[in-house]
Amino acid sequence: MKIDALVINQLTQISQRILDMIERAKDQSESLIDNLPFLFAVITGDGVILRGGDRLSKMYQCQMDDLLGKNISDLFRKPSWKIMQEKIKSARNTDMVVFETSLDYFRPTSPIIQWTIVYDNKLNFYNNSDVYYICGVDVTTTRNYEQQITKIFAGIPLGIFRVNSDLVIEAPISHYTEVLFGRDDMIGKSFHDVVYGAPGVELTAEDSKKVNNINGIIGFDEFVFDCAKDSLINKLKMIINGNERFIGISYEPIVENSEVVSLLVIVDDQTNIEIKKSEYENQKKYEEKIARNIIDIKRIPESLCPFIFKEIEKAILDLEENGFRTLKKDMIFTELHTVKRVIKKSGMSGMMLEIHRYEDMFEKAHSTEEYGSILSDCVDFMRDETDELKKLFSVFRGGTSGSQKDVNPGSIRLDDKLRKILSATAKDLEKKVTLDCQLPLDIQSYRFISVLSECLIHLVSNAIIHGIETPEKRRQNGKQESGNIHIWTKISDTGEIEIYVSDDGQGLILENLRQAASRQNLVPRKKLKSMTEESLYDLIFFPGFSVSDHIQMFSGKGHGLSNVRKSLDEIGANIMVKTEEGKGCEFVICFKAE
Amino acid sequence: MDNIGNTDFFGINQDQINFFTMLMGLSAEQARYHFRFNEKFRFFMGPPDAPYAPVYAPWMAAIILGNSDIRIIIKAFFSINSGRSILKIDPKNASGEKIKQMIFDHMREYLNVVSGSVKKKFQENHINVGVSLPLVTRGTDDIYSHSKINSRESFQHWTLDDGEKQIVMKAEISVVSDIFSDFDYEIENVVQLDDGEDLDFL
């Protein structure tokens, strides 16, 4: 018995030491649990708190001991608690659930808590009291930062994702991809569904044929990809809330052992680029139209202009009245034909092109509504165009159909005007010409700028029409395909300003001049033989002199250079010409500085 | 010993019933003086109707008695508010942590005294048992002690309550061999505290 007692005493001492250690360890762990830096609770399935941490008691504004028996549902508004209850139920099946919810469903500023619910499946002793461990971390700040970062990253217009051999999108994907396609569940989805089937995507007929081309790229040789990549859709047009959006798509192969195993697809928002491109195209078209109109205006004899405009306006009015009255195709075409005839007579090629376009539209239309709509557009366009031509006429020809004060001559720079005329005329004549224009910087402020600009425009037009040869002819003559027109200014010793307009075209051909003068009976034949070269060259300024024997679209009336000399005479300026056959021609305008 | 259930006295053999009765009597006698119950004091079997069962109170004091044949764990569930009432502490005059430690010490002492009485009863029946140090921990910890209850173990709840303070007692007994065949369960002497002894707190 004594030995037993001794043994028991020893055992008791050992167990006491162990218990003492356990208690100290327990104290520490309890303290740790109490002060966990997140919301912690042990709860029953009904939400009754069996054990809580310091953070939770602070939320309840009570002592930690008072948490026992409280229901965690008191922390939530009803909708949030419903979500929580569902998650508690699902935790029973899956052992652990992680989710986020706000404590107050109705207040956006309410803290967002990330909850982790763990079901203790070993504690099944109390049938009605399942035990769950709940940890709640306040992630409001994190989510706010994430939102900010998301906004920043969403601003980087590049989305990247990978497509595997089954054409399924694989993780990871860049966030902007989700922004572009307006969905956050792209991973694991079909490329076709996500990209081509995105909301608002409008595939053109051509693109619709390309949709399946991507199917035959992955899994083949890299060479196949190189050959076929151009046949893939590289731009998507989306209509979102009535706004157009363009998404550029490019494809990069991921190659293993020279076989394309997957594709890296790079998408970016090209809406702004497309808008700018469209604006640029419109601007270019507008500039070309203006240049064409200027040429058209210059073709119209000055004295006839007011009558032509009146005739056009009358034709437009007839079209409007008769067209809208009947809204019948035959009538509209008859009136439109009248307008075309008047415009053709006046030589306004730019306007004619547009009328042809409207004619096509009428041809395709079937209903009176469509006729009405097109007719309305057509009439508006022709009226605007006529007004614009009238305005240009007043600027370039000093016409009576508009006040010169309406348009500031300086509003269009002279060198710009020259370039536009040059590009339009050269295009029409299928010639290649470059212009080097070095006019005085203050030329726009010259009192007689309108006369000067008219003369220079005429000289440049003449150089393109008569001087510069076609590219083929220039090649045959050993010249470069592209002709050059050079305008520069010099101040002479006597203080006069000299403006030179030279070209490297065919120059004036003496024999042609003689024949033209003879043909037009401008100079007696006998006198022609005795005339010096300078006198012969001077013939080009003679009224009615033209080397062409018939009137053409761009030349042939023979009044151009005589008008130039006449206008220059009126402002006290002279014009002279120097030429060398086959090498070019040079006009010099001299006038006294203001 | 193979018909132990988890309800009060259900399926427990007579020896264990006798032992639990003795233990309840010892704890109640000690509690009457230790916890200064008032005239409304009542003793009843089973835990109170706590809505948050199985945790009966935020805190739990526990002590282990045992030898190679038997292991007994006596637990007392209490709240700090009950402890304040027991020690008649004015909440304005002491910090929370200090009071908590005083209450914990008092509950440890109570279990020491109860387990001492039990040990004495075992010695009277020529059975040596060791007694551990009392331990105070969170009441929640009790829920983990039931996870592996088996046929050799049984437990019993009883509650000591006077309206102001409530102590839920629980005893778990695990018997390996039959040691209760000649056990004398009669309670003769109860250690009593004088009124106010070691209990005058601020």
Side-chain angles (χ1 to χ4, degrees):
Chain A
M1 280 305 284
K2 281 183 182 175
I3 293 170
D4 277 353
L6 188 64
V7 170
I8 286 169
N9 272 339
Q10 282 176 344
L11 286 171
T12 308
Q13 280 178 13
I14 291 166
S15 66
Q16 279 177 353
R17 277 182 205 163
I18 292 167
L19 281 167
D20 191 30
M21 285 165 69
I22 289 169
E23 185 165 13
R24 269 185 277 145
K26 184 76 184 160
D27 269 352
Q28 285 179 4
S29 63
E30 289 295 333
S31 169
L32 278 173
I33 292 170
D34 286 345
N35 297 304
L36 282 173
F38 47 80
L39 299 168
F40 171 76
V42 181
I43 64 164
T44 66
D46 300 328
V48 177
I49 299 169
L50 304 177
R51 169 85 164 91
D54 184 41
R55 289 282 173 106
L56 199 68
S57 65
K58 277 180 185 164
M59 274 198 112
Y60 269 111
Q61 297 178 328
C62 66
Q63 294 294 317
M64 209 184 296
D65 284 1
D66 299 334
L67 281 176
L68 186 65
K70 283 192 184 297
N71 200 301
I72 202 163
S73 65
D74 296 346
L75 278 181
F76 299 86
R77 292 289 284 264
K78 268 188 182 172
S80 300
W81 174 240
K82 275 191 175 176
I83 296 169
M84 185 75 156
Q85 272 184 314
E86 288 299 316
K87 297 293 177 185
I88 288 173
K89 275 182 197 168
S90 55
R92 204 175 192 285
N93 301 324
T94 57
D95 288 348
M96 189 172 92
V97 170
V98 181
F99 70 102
E100 283 178 23
T101 181
S102 60
L103 289 178
D104 190 340
Y105 190 80
F106 299 107
R107 275 174 52 212
T109 52
S110 166
I112 301 166
I113 311 285
Q114 187 186 63
W115 298 99
T116 306
I117 304 178
V118 181
Y119 171 61
D120 194 336
N121 55 10
K122 290 172 188 165
L123 289 178
N124 52 6
F125 182 73
Y126 294 98
N127 293 332
N128 298 321
S129 300
D130 295 329
V131 174
Y132 300 87
Y133 306 101
I134 288 191
C135 298
V137 184
D138 188 342
V139 290
T140 316
T141 318
T142 314
R143 292 293 168 266
N144 287 343
Y145 280 130
E146 275 176 4
Q147 274 187 1
Q148 285 174 11
I149 290 168
T150 302
K151 277 181 190 169
I152 293 165
F153 276 91
I156 300 171
L158 206 64
I160 305 170
F161 60 94
R162 202 153 62 97
V163 180
N164 67 16
S165 55
D166 298 326
L167 291 175
V168 169
I169 295 168
E170 285 189 339
I173 61 171
S174 76
H175 176 73
Y176 190 70
T177 321
E178 295 174 346
V179 176
L180 274 182
F181 292 106
R183 59 191 292 177
D184 57 1
D185 59 344
M186 291 173 60
I187 295 165
K189 297 283 187 315
S190 147
F191 172 84
H192 283 87
D193 291 347
V194 170
V195 178
Y196 301 148
V201 166
E202 285 186 357
L203 291 174
T204 60
E206 196 184 341
D207 282 348
S208 299
K209 290 177 194 165
K210 293 180 179 177
V211 163
N212 290 324
N213 289 355
I214 196 168
N215 300 357
I217 283 182
I218 307 174
F220 294 94
D221 197 76
E222 197 178 356
F223 176 71
V224 175
F225 174 81
D226 286 339
C227 296
K229 68 178 177 184
D230 292 337
S231 69
L232 302 175
I233 294 174
N234 54 22
K235 195 186 289 174
L236 278 183
K237 183 182 172 188
M238 297 167 96
I239 307 287
I240 295 169
N241 298 330
N243 297 323
E244 279 188 348
R245 191 175 189 184
F246 295 92
I247 294 180
I249 313 174
S250 54
Y251 309 84
E252 290 296 329
I254 297 170
V255 182
E256 280 176 21
N257 299 326
S258 70
E259 183 186 301
V260 179
V261 288
S262 56
L263 277 185
L264 201 64
V265 183
I266 301 157
V267 285
D268 62 330
D269 192 342
Q270 293 188 347
T271 311
N272 287 339
I273 296 170
E274 288 296 322
I275 290 169
K276 291 281 173 202
K277 210 188 267 181
S278 164
E279 282 175 0
Y280 174 74
E281 290 292 329
N282 289 341
Q283 179 68 20
K284 204 173 157 189
K285 274 183 193 166
Y286 177 74
E287 285 175 1
E288 279 175 5
K289 193 185 86 176
I290 291 284
R292 199 179 291 121
N293 284 347
I294 291 169
I295 294 169
D296 288 346
I297 282 289
K298 284 190 63 62
R299 262 189 230 128
I300 305 171
E302 194 173 334
S303 55
L304 289 178
C305 257
F307 302 107
I308 285 173
F309 285 130
K310 269 186 189 171
E311 209 174 341
I312 292 171
E313 281 167 351
K314 188 178 175 303
I316 295 169
L317 193 66
D318 288 346
L319 170 68
E320 190 180 23
E321 283 180 355
N322 295 329
F324 277 114
R325 185 166 50 79
T326 59
L327 279 179
K328 281 186 179 169
K329 198 185 246 185
D330 295 346
M331 178 56 77
I332 292 169
F333 271 103
T334 309
E335 292 300 334
L336 207 57
H337 195 71
T338 313
V339 178
K340 274 170 68 182
R341 201 176 60 241
V342 175
I343 290 169
K344 195 174 180 183
K345 199 165 67 180
S346 62
M348 292 178 185
S349 56
M351 204 164 164
M352 187 66 94
L353 285 174
E354 282 297 311
I355 292 171
H356 280 147
R357 199 169 63 79
Y358 281 109
E359 214 169 31
D360 287 346
M361 286 163 74
F362 279 121
E363 199 74 57
K364 287 172 189 167
H366 298 292
S367 63
T368 48
E369 285 82 11
E370 283 178 286
Y371 294 147
S373 165
I374 300 166
L375 189 60
S376 171
D377 284 355
C378 181
V379 169
D380 286 348
F381 161 75
M382 286 194 288
R383 287 230 165 88
D384 291 347
E385 198 74 352
T386 314
D387 287 346
E388 202 165 318
L389 284 166
K390 279 159 83 178
K391 208 179 267 182
L392 285 171
F393 174 73
S394 72
V395 174
F396 292 105
R397 305 296 293 264
T400 52
S401 53
S403 166
Q404 198 157 350
K405 286 175 188 171
D406 291 346
V407 180
N408 176 13
S411 62
I412 306 172
R413 283 173 56 86
L414 180 56
D415 48 352
D416 285 343
K417 264 189 247 174
L418 292 169
R419 281 197 178 86
K420 281 169 192 168
I421 289 164
L422 176 117
S423 83
T425 315
K427 196 176 168 186
D428 286 344
L429 295 170
E430 295 178 348
K431 289 184 180 179
K432 290 181 181 176
V433 189
T434 55
L435 175 69
D436 177 19
C437 187
Q438 292 169 9
L439 288 165
L441 289 174
D442 59 345
I443 193 161
Q444 295 293 133
S445 64
Y446 285 12
R447 185 166 44 83
F448 40 79
I449 177 66
S450 57
V451 177
L452 261 183
S453 64
E454 193 183 341
C455 294
L456 286 170
I457 286 166
H458 199 98
L459 291 177
V460 168
S461 301
N462 262 5
I464 302 164
I465 297 163
H466 301 293
I468 305 292
E469 310 93 325
T470 59
E472 196 182 350
K473 199 169 179 184
R474 286 179 70 84
R475 225 175 19 248
Q476 286 168 3
N477 294 341
K479 292 180 183 177
Q480 284 184 339
E481 278 190 2
S482 175
N484 297 302
I485 297 174
H486 190 192
I487 300 174
W488 79 98
T489 314
K490 202 171 103 178
I491 298 175
S492 70
D493 298 339
T494 55
E496 282 189 326
I497 295 172
E498 296 175 354
I499 298 177
Y500 291 81
V501 181
S502 69
D503 66 74
D504 63 350
Q506 61 188 357
L508 295 174
I509 301 164
L510 279 174
E511 191 51 38
N512 287 354
L513 294 175
R514 282 196 192 97
Q515 283 176 10
S518 167
R519 194 170 57 242
Q520 293 163 38
N521 291 324
L522 294 174
V523 183
R525 285 192 180 179
K526 285 180 184 174
K527 198 180 175 182
L528 267 175
K529 287 178 183 173
S530 60
M531 278 176 79
T532 60
E533 284 185 7
E534 282 75 21
S535 308
L536 281 168
Y537 293 144
D538 215 39
L539 281 174
I540 59 173
F541 297 107
F542 205 82
F545 179 85
S546 173
V547 287
S548 301
D549 53 358
H550 59 277
I551 293 172
Q552 295 171 350
M553 180 65 105
F554 294 97
S555 62
K557 293 181 284 287
H559 295 289
L561 284 173
S562 67
N563 279 342
V564 169
R565 175 167 273 181
K566 192 180 162 192
S567 304
L568 289 172
D569 280 346
E570 282 170 9
I571 62 166
N574 293 321
I575 183 164
M576 290 170 285
V577 62
K578 292 176 191 171
T579 181
E580 195 174 341
E581 199 173 314
K583 288 193 176 175
C585 194
E586 183 179 84
F587 289 89
V588 189
I589 298 170
C590 306
F591 54 92
K592 282 183 183 171
E594 289 176 1
Chain B
M1 294 298 288
D2 56 351
N3 55 352
I4 306 296
N6 60 0
T7 52
D8 301 333
F9 285 149
F10 180 74
I12 304 176
N13 68 23
Q14 192 56 47
D15 283 338
Q16 290 186 13
I17 292 170
N18 290 341
F19 177 75
F20 278 129
T21 310
M22 180 197 76
L23 189 55
M24 284 187 277
L26 284 171
S27 74
E29 282 302 315
Q30 292 294 345
R32 188 182 293 275
Y33 299 103
H34 230 81
F35 298 147
R36 296 183 171 185
F37 285 116
N38 58 29
E39 65 281 1
K40 292 179 186 170
F41 171 71
R42 65 194 184 103
F43 170 96
F44 56 90
M45 297 292 289
D49 295 330
Y52 39 87
V55 181
Y56 305 108
W59 296 97
M60 176 182 78
I63 198 161
I64 305 171
L65 294 92
N67 61 19
S68 53
D69 297 321
I70 188 168
R71 194 192 64 179
I72 301 158
I73 306 172
I74 307 168
K75 296 174 182 173
F77 295 89
F78 62 98
S79 66
I80 298 295
N81 283 340
S82 291
R84 283 176 185 278
S85 179
I86 290 163
L87 299 180
K88 292 188 176 170
I89 295 166
D90 183 352
K92 295 174 186 169
N93 293 338
S95 71
E97 190 56 34
K98 193 175 172 186
I99 292 215
K100 204 162 81 176
Q101 289 308 323
M102 284 160 63
I103 294 165
F104 288 176
D105 285 345
H106 193 74
M107 292 307 295
R108 284 193 194 102
E109 183 57 27
Y110 167 68
L111 285 188
N112 258 338
V113 173
V114 172
S115 60
S117 307
V118 175
K119 182 182 166 72
K120 194 180 168 192
K121 283 305 294 178
F122 273 106
Q123 277 175 343
E124 284 169 6
N125 286 279
H126 311 291
I127 300 167
N128 277 325
V129 289
V131 182
S132 76
L133 283 174
L135 178 88
V136 173
T137 183
R138 286 272 175 186
T140 320
D141 291 348
D142 186 47
I143 63 175
Y144 304 104
S145 69
H146 282 289
S147 56
K148 285 180 182 174
I149 197 106
N150 60 44
S151 61
R152 292 183 179 280
E153 296 169 350
S154 60
F155 65 91
Q156 178 59 39
H157 291 95
W158 64 98
T159 305
L160 312 166
D161 189 0
D162 71 350
E164 288 180 6
K165 43 199 174 281
Q166 185 183 67
I167 309 293
V168 179
M169 297 296 293
K170 183 182 177 187
E172 292 168 25
I173 181 166
S174 177
V175 182
V176 177
S177 61
D178 185 6
I179 59 166
F180 290 117
S181 54
D182 299 320
F183 204 89
D184 174 16
Y185 297 103
E186 198 65 35
I187 301 169
E188 292 167 354
N189 297 313
V190 174
V191 179
Q192 293 183 2
L193 289 173
D194 293 336
D195 278 356
E197 185 187 341
D198 294 331
L199 293 175
D200 287 333
F201 292 95
L202 293 171

